Amino acid sequence: MARPAGRAAFILHGDGSERVVSFGELGALVDRFTAGLNALNLPLGARVMLLARPNPEIYALALAVLRAGH
């Protein structure tokens, strides 16, 4: 995600507005969520359930869960 950091990872449309999330922003979210997951000291391979409306933050959290080995 660092190489194309300025490129759009998501473009979200809704209510007449547009939100662009870059790969750099997505990578920063993944890093932040990974640090939080690691701070929980969950055992490797722990199951994690995500129940939320899909958005860039949930996508980043899913990537962080995979990165942390859960």
Side-chain angles (χ1 to χ4, degrees), residues 5 7-9 11 20-21 23 25-26 29-30 39 41 45 47 51 53 57 63 65:
R7 293 185 59 201
I11 300 174
V20 178
V21 179
F23 279 102
E25 291 173 85
L26 182 61
L29 282 171
V30 171
N41 294 317
R47 293 179 180 180
L51 296 172
R53 176 178 281 208
E57 289 78 16
L63 292 174
V65 167

Side-chain angles (χ1 to χ4, degrees), residues 4-69:
R7 293 185 59 201
F10 292 100
I11 300 174
L12 306 168
H13 299 276
D15 299 330
S17 65
E18 181 178 277
R19 178 179 172 203
V20 178
V21 179
S22 70
F23 279 102
E25 291 173 85
L26 182 61
L29 282 171
V30 171
D31 290 343
R32 211 169 77 214
F33 287 135
T34 300
L37 287 166
N38 289 338
L40 293 174
N41 294 317
L42 297 172
L44 285 178
R47 293 179 180 180
V48 177
M49 181 184 292
L50 302 174
L51 296 172
R53 176 178 281 208
N55 61 37
E57 289 78 16
I58 294 302
Y59 185 75
L61 180 55
L63 292 174
V65 167
L66 293 173
R67 179 193 273 176

